[in-house]
């Protein structure tokens, strides 16, 4: 048994099939199948149950894969330690995060690349549930997430940034009605007809709920924060649109099909749109660094210094 065989088995398990594993490893599918079969013969037991469209771990595979991951991590740390002695830090860091989380993540990554060009960073966007699983299974070295719901035994968290969210609209939209001109009737006297908000330039969650809202799919990081704020304010809302990414949300807003609640730093990436602060009960965006407890491998430790 060697590390390459372990790497292939882990890839098949994580990708859910031989074809996807071959694409990840940049080899032909027959090479992946041959490697797995050779290892299964050596172990005297199958590691996968094969079906037409997907493969599943057998009980033997369920215990083999975590041990293989640990062996691969140990080998990676050994290589990194030798490289550090030679003055050339190498290694691979896998960061799990959610789409749209912390727009400034590129800054510490750029600093790491400048300091240690031999370090490879894999940035994987996943749902909070998948991130929790990745940390638990060791397929991610650390996570950058919204909220702090990933606190659990064996993990440590650190606050990276905190900011309030804003309401984003097309420049021409008034915020009292359901169309670009606003104004639902004479009883609507919130003072938002010109899209600038009341005297202090803010908007409330109740006012936002009366507008067509562009929401993110349930379970997305931004959606979790927004849901929590509306519940805390006792305000019910309905979504006019549900999207999976920030760019799609921005394009719907740009087309004046609705408004969207975004972190201020994310909204700042779309200067053509108009932002409105919330008067009270503003949704907030708390970004946390989450990683396994204990000493970090050299490459991860180098990145943590830039994340400080």
């Amino acid at each position: 048994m060697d590390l390459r065989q372990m790497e292939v088995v882990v890839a098949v398990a994580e990708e859910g099939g031989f074809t996807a594993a071959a694409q990840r490893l940049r080899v032909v599918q027959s090479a992946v199948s041959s490697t797995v079969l050779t290892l299964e013969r050596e172990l005297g037991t199958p590691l996968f149950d094969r079906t037409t469209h997907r493969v599943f771990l057998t009980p033997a595979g369920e215990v083999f894969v975590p041990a293989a991951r640990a062996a691969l991590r140990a080998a990676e740390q050994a290589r990194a330690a030798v490289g550090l002695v030679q003055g050339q830090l190498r290694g691979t860091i896998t960061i799990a995060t959610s789409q749209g989380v912390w727009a400034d993540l590129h800054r510490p990554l750029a600093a790491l690349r400048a300091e240690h060009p031999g370090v490879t960073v894999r940035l994987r966007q996943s749902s909070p549930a998948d991130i929790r699983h990745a940390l638990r299974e060791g397929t991610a070295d650390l996570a950058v997430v919204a909220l702090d719901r990933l606190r659990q035994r064996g993990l440590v968290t650190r606050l990276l940034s905190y900011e309030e969210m804003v309401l984003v609209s097309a420049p021409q939209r008034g915020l009292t009605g359901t169309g670009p001109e606003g104004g639902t009737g004479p009883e609507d006297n919130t003072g938002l007809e010109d899209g600038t908000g009341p005297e202090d330039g803010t908007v409330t969650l109740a006012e936002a709920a009366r507008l067509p809202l562009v929401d993110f799919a349930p379970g997305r990081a931004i959606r979790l924060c927004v849901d929590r704020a509306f519940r805390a304010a006792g305000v019910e809302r309905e979504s006019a649109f549900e999207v999976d990414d920030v760019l799609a949300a921005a394009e719907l807003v740009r087309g004046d099909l609705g408004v969207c609640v975004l972190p201020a730093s994310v909204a700042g990436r779309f200067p053509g749109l108009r932002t409105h602060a919330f008067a009270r009960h503003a949704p907030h965006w708390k970004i946390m660094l989450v990683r396994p407890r204990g000493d970090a491998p050299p490459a991860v430790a180098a990145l943590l210094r830039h994340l400080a």
Side-chain angles (χ1 to χ4, degrees), residues 66-156:
R69 287 196 186 110
L72 291 170
R73 285 197 301 271
E76 182 70 26
Q77 292 178 22
R79 283 192 290 267
V82 172
L84 191 59
V85 170
Q86 297 174 331
Q88 298 177 341
L89 181 61
R90 299 185 179 277
T92 300
I93 305 171
T94 300
I95 305 173
T97 188
S98 296
Q99 205 269 349
V101 170
W102 201 29
D104 287 335
L105 184 57
H106 66 283
R107 300 184 190 280
L109 294 181
L112 176 70
R113 173 59 59 86
E115 183 181 13
H116 301 294
V119 174
T120 300
V121 176
R122 296 171 179 166
L123 192 62
R124 295 181 176 174
Q125 294 183 340
S126 307
S127 68
D130 289 338
I131 291 174
R132 186 181 298 108
H133 178 77
L135 290 169
R136 184 173 59 248
E137 295 296 316
T139 57
D141 295 297
L142 55 89
V144 177
V145 296
L147 306 178
D148 54 355
R149 294 186 178 184
L150 289 180
R151 286 181 178 170
Q152 62 186 48
R153 182 174 298 178
L155 298 177
V156 294

Side-chain angles (χ1 to χ4, degrees), residues 10-268:
V10 168
V12 174
E14 292 179 353
E15 299 298 331
F18 289 86
T19 300
Q23 293 173 346
R24 168 172 153 179
L25 298 171
R26 299 182 180 180
V27 297
V28 296
Q29 181 180 338
S30 59
V32 172
S33 299
S34 175
T35 299
V36 172
L37 285 172
T38 299
L39 181 57
E40 288 178 327
R41 293 193 191 100
E42 182 180 339
L43 295 172
T45 185
L47 298 174
F48 297 99
D49 284 329
R50 281 84 161 169
T51 67
T52 304
H53 301 291
R54 194 168 176 83
V55 298
F56 301 90
L57 288 169
T58 63
E62 292 282 359
V63 297
F64 179 87
V65 169
R69 287 196 186 110
L72 291 170
R73 285 197 301 271
E76 182 70 26
Q77 292 178 22
R79 283 192 290 267
V82 172
L84 191 59
V85 170
Q86 297 174 331
Q88 298 177 341
L89 181 61
R90 299 185 179 277
T92 300
I93 305 171
T94 300
I95 305 173
T97 188
S98 296
Q99 205 269 349
V101 170
W102 201 29
D104 287 335
L105 184 57
H106 66 283
R107 300 184 190 280
L109 294 181
L112 176 70
R113 173 59 59 86
E115 183 181 13
H116 301 294
V119 174
T120 300
V121 176
R122 296 171 179 166
L123 192 62
R124 295 181 176 174
Q125 294 183 340
S126 307
S127 68
D130 289 338
I131 291 174
R132 186 181 298 108
H133 178 77
L135 290 169
R136 184 173 59 248
E137 295 296 316
T139 57
D141 295 297
L142 55 89
V144 177
V145 296
L147 306 178
D148 54 355
R149 294 186 178 184
L150 289 180
R151 286 181 178 170
Q152 62 186 48
R153 182 174 298 178
L155 298 177
V156 294
T157 63
R158 190 176 83 208
L159 179 66
L160 291 176
S161 67
Y162 176 95
E163 63 178 314
E164 292 188 346
M165 292 185 167
V166 296
L167 187 72
V168 180
S169 73
Q172 68 271 26
R173 172 171 284 275
L175 298 187
T176 59
T178 58
E181 300 305 323
T184 58
E187 71 281 0
D188 193 338
N189 58 0
T190 58
L192 296 172
E193 290 84 352
D194 63 353
T196 61
E199 291 183 2
D200 62 356
T202 60
V203 63
T204 67
L205 288 173
E207 290 162 349
R210 295 199 295 268
L211 299 165
L213 288 172
V214 178
D215 251 328
F216 292 87
R220 298 294 183 181
I222 294 177
R223 177 68 177 265
L224 291 172
C225 296
V226 174
D227 284 348
R228 186 176 66 174
F230 274 92
R231 284 196 304 268
V235 175
E236 295 185 1
R237 80 185 197 280
E238 292 185 3
S239 303
F241 299 92
E242 283 190 356
V243 298
D244 284 323
D245 65 86
V246 172
L247 182 59
E251 289 304 310
L252 288 170
V253 173
R254 194 187 312 279
D256 201 22
L257 295 173
V259 299
C260 185
V261 182
L262 291 173
S265 61
V266 177

